[in-house]
Amino acid sequence: MTRDSLVRIEHLDIDYRQHGVWVPVVRDVSFELREREMVSLVGESGCGKTTLALSILRLLPERESAVRGGRILFDGSDVLRMDPDGLRSLRGGRISMIFQDPFSSLNPVLTVGEQVEEVLECHEGRRDPARVKSLLERVVLPDPSRIYSSFPHQLSGGQRQRVMIAMAIASSPKLLIADEPTTALDVTVQKEILDLLTRLQDELGMSVLLITHNLGLVAERSHRLAVMYSGRLVESGETAAVLASPRHPYTQGLIQSLPRIRRTGSRLPMLPGQPPELSRIPSGCAFHPRCAKVFAPCSREIPPLKKMGSSPDSDEAVACHLFGGPAS
Amino acid sequence: MTSLLEAEDITKDFHIEGGLFRRRRGTVRALDRVTLALNAGDSVGLVGESGSGKTTLAKILTGLLSPDGGRVLWEGRPAADYSRAQWAGHVQMIFQDPSSSLNPKLTVRTLLTEALDVKHRRTEGRGGSTGTLRDEAGVLLSSVGLSPEFLRSYPHQLSGGQKQRVAIARALAAEPRVLVADEPVSALDLSIQAQILNLLLDLKDRYSLTLLVISHDLAVVGYLADRLIVMKEGRPVEEGPAGTVLDSPRHDYTRTLLAAVPGFIR
């Protein structure tokens, strides 16, 4: 199934200033998000996944970060060259974002209704309580009238995240970025929120970019999966294919080291070491000191992301010297 | 046979205070007549979501909270018969977030030698000499997979996984028989979680520990524990050998938790 491209990131490089020194956070990332698809960006803390997502909205801290190269195209226009008016229509308009902790994203002294209404007023220029209630219904909040006049602290974590989602879809965005949307929630609630996001993505015809460190519950939902390590994209492909037969030794290690609910052997296979600090990224492939399959070129050359599979529109790609083929 | 550690009919209430004079506004029953027995060498998993009472129960077993009803027994004798120092040699606990459970102002060496000193006072009646404590701290660190150079580090200089290893070493300094691990990996990076889970199993074998693992994650407890207790709203709703509970869950709530585990890691 081929869909039109909504976000196209080309060879993006981003640095952060850390204790006065510039360090690489995102390196040579090329990535495509198509219309009406849900993509997971998976990685550990510090791998650059949130930075990459924030850069689509140009929400990176201006003095502490610098885009060194590359392009970000949203719906055909270059986000990095956009004027303030263009950015305003992007942020909270054509692109919405929700975060891990809904409590800190909501105003504690305003009722839920007032906050959702404020968002609607920004987009449509008028206050409309009836539409607020229909939005609250849409995200399956029971008794919308009661929720409307509740304060955030009176709601559960799952209900707050539903309120955030209601605010996020108020502008009928083309893209919803969800940064660890369920990490703070109980497992059964996580599942409900993911069910809701999946349904809304389909009903509203939007694209969803899920940023997560959760390779199981969360990533499983998406159509495609992209894995980042130390600022680079190391593997991408259809979710089911990547989870079933990962190619990159890092992805393989992550999947194998997930505890199965039934203990099969005596010990879990595990990746040695830990992700590198940004100021001390190893030469060549950043993963090579932890890799069991390391060989000569790994410490010298950075492996490019190469397309895998025979068909030209294959989605699978991997950045590892174990795999040949033309660079994508 | 007498169990090593028992909780008998434990009830715990938390009071909700509020308003100008912090008046009592209501009461939440965190634990409602919970009974639990750990035998030496057991590996028991306590599963449930927030509010299920699992952490409250752990804190009561560790002696960090006292129950409102019921009693805790060690080898058949009530907890009140033991001093705090003695109890520290029975049960130790590690927590979800090692950043907040380690004093940021102390070096790893001080964190460990303080705990070792307490153990010496308990077992020998006096504290250990500086040399002994330093040597033992080094041994403890290597038993959790860290090199002695970390003795000079402060917690903020360590990664999350390294901090959790230090927290485990500090718990082991007391030479406990029971180790309670409350969400031991949920704050850690994905590639580090398996390392810590394996370490807990290694240490259990090496020190003949009895393990009580608490998590919301069925995969984590299923991996570490032989026996599972599923808790909901302050009560155990299902209990049994891990394989039986996971293969043929009897309670609806266990089934709901199982349904949240992704297919490919079942």
Side-chain angles (χ1 to χ4, degrees):
Chain A
M1 182 168 37
T2 318
R3 288 163 167 155
D4 289 337
S5 163
L6 181 64
V7 182
R8 195 182 185 88
I9 294 175
E10 292 168 356
H11 304 291
L12 191 66
D13 289 334
I14 301 172
D15 287 359
Y16 269 173
R17 190 151 60 183
Q18 213 178 48
H19 310 298
V21 183
W22 292 98
V23 294
V25 183
V26 170
R27 275 296 173 267
D28 197 23
V29 169
S30 297
F31 178 75
E32 192 182 37
L33 186 69
R34 296 166 204 148
E35 301 227 5
R36 309 173 73 93
E37 90 174 334
M38 189 183 267
V39 174
S40 293
L41 200 54
V42 184
E44 301 184 88
S45 48
C47 74
K49 56 190 191 300
T50 295
T51 301
L52 186 65
L54 289 174
S55 72
I56 302 172
L57 281 162
R58 255 180 66 191
L59 275 178
L60 296 173
E62 240 166 59
R63 289 190 180 166
E64 301 304 314
S65 70
V67 176
R68 299 295 188 199
R71 289 207 302 171
I72 303 169
L73 299 173
F74 180 81
D75 232 357
S77 44
D78 190 341
V79 175
L80 296 175
R81 290 156 186 267
M82 223 171 244
D83 59 20
D85 282 342
L87 284 176
R88 208 170 299 127
S89 84
L90 211 63
R91 298 171 179 161
R94 289 187 292 160
I95 308 179
S96 289
M97 188 157 179
I98 58 172
F99 300 90
Q100 173 171 344
D101 180 10
F103 198 52
S104 61
S105 315
L106 290 167
N107 187 334
V109 297
L110 293 181
T111 64
V112 163
E114 285 170 315
Q115 298 186 54
V116 181
E117 218 164 273
E118 205 172 72
V119 173
L120 273 176
E121 198 182 5
C122 281
H123 293 299
E124 298 175 3
R126 64 195 181 92
R127 298 185 90 87
D128 185 351
R131 260 215 71 198
V132 173
K133 281 181 189 159
S134 83
L135 273 171
L136 295 177
E137 267 166 27
R138 183 125 219 192
V139 296
V140 215
L141 279 163
D143 195 357
S145 310
R146 184 181 65 81
I147 301 279
Y148 184 93
S149 50
S150 298
F151 289 94
H153 75 270
Q154 295 170 314
L155 306 182
S156 70
Q159 287 172 332
R160 282 182 215 136
Q161 195 59 288
R162 286 176 194 270
V163 171
M164 290 308 300
I165 295 171
M167 291 162 78
I169 61 170
S171 61
S172 313
K174 295 196 78 172
L175 170 64
L176 175 67
I177 301 175
D179 190 0
E180 302 278 7
T182 65
T183 306
L185 304 173
D186 272 328
V187 262
T188 52
V189 183
Q190 290 189 12
K191 187 167 179 296
E192 290 167 14
I193 294 291
L194 289 166
D195 286 343
L196 175 67
L197 282 176
T198 309
R199 210 194 54 196
L200 289 174
Q201 185 260 324
D202 190 48
E203 284 176 8
L204 304 173
M206 58 182 181
S207 305
V208 175
L209 180 60
L210 265 178
I211 301 158
T212 182
H213 70 280
N214 184 328
L215 202 48
L217 194 58
V218 182
E220 200 186 36
R221 289 310 175 99
S222 52
H223 303 116
R224 285 193 303 133
L225 187 79
V227 183
M228 284 185 78
Y229 186 79
S230 199
R232 289 174 189 272
L233 214 58
V234 296
E235 179 156 13
S236 64
E238 276 180 36
T239 302
V242 174
L243 292 179
S245 44
R247 287 189 169 94
H248 198 285
Y250 175 61
T251 323
Q252 288 175 354
L254 284 184
I255 291 173
Q256 282 165 3
S257 70
L258 288 175
R260 305 315 202 240
I261 63 170
R262 280 170 199 78
R263 202 190 308 172
T264 41
S266 60
R267 293 292 183 271
L268 277 172
M270 60 186 186
L271 288 168
Q274 55 193 18
E277 287 171 37
L278 297 175
S279 54
R280 276 185 263 171
I281 295 177
S283 62
C285 169
F287 183 64
H288 86 263
R290 305 177 73 190
C291 185
K293 295 175 180 161
V294 62
F295 65 118
C298 300
S299 61
R300 291 197 311 262
E301 287 165 49
I302 296 171
L305 193 70
K306 286 170 189 161
K307 282 217 163 175
M308 293 287 119
S310 45
S311 75
D313 55 337
S314 160
D315 274 331
E316 277 144 67
V318 63
C320 175
H321 288 301
L322 291 169
F323 297 90
S328 72
Chain B
M1 195 182 83
T2 316
S3 295
L4 193 60
L5 180 62
E6 272 174 280
E8 218 177 61
D9 243 1
I10 299 282
T11 298
K12 179 75 187 172
D13 292 331
F14 286 115
H15 304 299
I16 302 166
E17 295 168 338
L20 190 54
F21 299 106
R22 300 191 63 76
R23 267 188 294 255
R24 194 173 288 181
R25 282 186 163 174
T27 302
V28 176
R29 177 139 295 188
L31 292 173
D32 191 10
R33 305 185 56 142
V34 176
T35 293
L36 165 97
L38 290 179
N39 293 315
D42 269 0
S43 188
V44 175
L46 214 51
V47 209
E49 297 187 282
S50 44
S52 65
K54 56 193 194 302
T55 296
T56 305
L57 182 59
K59 287 184 171 172
I60 287 173
L61 292 174
T62 317
L64 296 172
L65 283 175
S66 46
D68 293 322
R71 53 185 196 156
V72 177
L73 303 169
W74 181 263
E75 292 178 330
R77 280 173 58 194
D81 290 1
Y82 298 93
S83 69
R84 267 186 72 169
Q86 283 173 316
W87 203 260
H90 296 163
V91 190
Q92 283 287 324
M93 183 164 174
I94 58 167
F95 301 86
Q96 172 171 353
D97 180 10
S99 309
S100 60
S101 64
L102 298 174
N103 186 334
K105 291 182 181 170
L106 302 182
T107 59
V108 170
R109 170 180 290 156
T110 315
L111 285 165
L112 296 181
T113 51
E114 274 188 350
L116 286 163
D117 202 41
V118 171
K119 180 213 58 179
H120 280 287
R121 284 176 205 284
R122 184 185 81 235
T123 54
E124 294 152 22
R126 59 191 172 89
S129 72
T130 314
T132 315
L133 293 177
R134 193 181 51 220
D135 292 347
E136 287 182 350
V139 172
L140 265 181
L141 263 197
S142 69
S143 75
V144 296
L146 290 178
S147 73
E149 69 192 70
F150 287 105
L151 284 172
R152 287 192 298 272
S153 307
Y154 287 90
H156 75 268
Q157 295 169 314
L158 306 176
S159 69
Q162 290 165 342
K163 273 184 266 197
Q164 194 61 297
R165 287 175 194 268
V166 171
I168 294 170
R170 190 182 53 171
L172 294 177
E175 296 183 355
R177 310 261 317 269
V178 175
L179 183 67
V180 178
D182 189 3
E183 300 281 6
V185 298
S186 40
L188 303 179
D189 257 331
L190 209 54
S191 69
I192 306 301
Q193 294 191 1
Q195 296 175 4
I196 298 294
L197 294 176
N198 284 345
L199 175 67
L200 287 170
L201 285 182
D202 289 343
L203 294 170
K204 178 187 183 314
D205 287 352
R206 193 183 320 160
Y207 297 110
S208 312
L209 290 168
T210 300
L211 212 53
L212 181 65
V213 186
I214 298 165
S215 180
H216 68 282
D217 187 343
L218 263 181
V220 167
V221 286
Y223 176 68
L224 289 177
D226 304 318
R227 189 153 60 89
L228 291 188
I229 300 168
V230 183
M231 289 196 53
K232 186 173 196 272
E233 289 159 16
R235 288 176 155 280
V237 294
E238 181 158 2
E239 183 174 352
T244 315
V245 173
L246 296 172
D247 285 333
S248 39
R250 278 166 298 145
H251 198 279
D252 279 346
Y253 182 63
T254 316
R255 278 185 219 124
T256 311
L257 285 177
L258 266 170
V261 177
F264 74 104
I265 59 167
R266 291 262 167 88

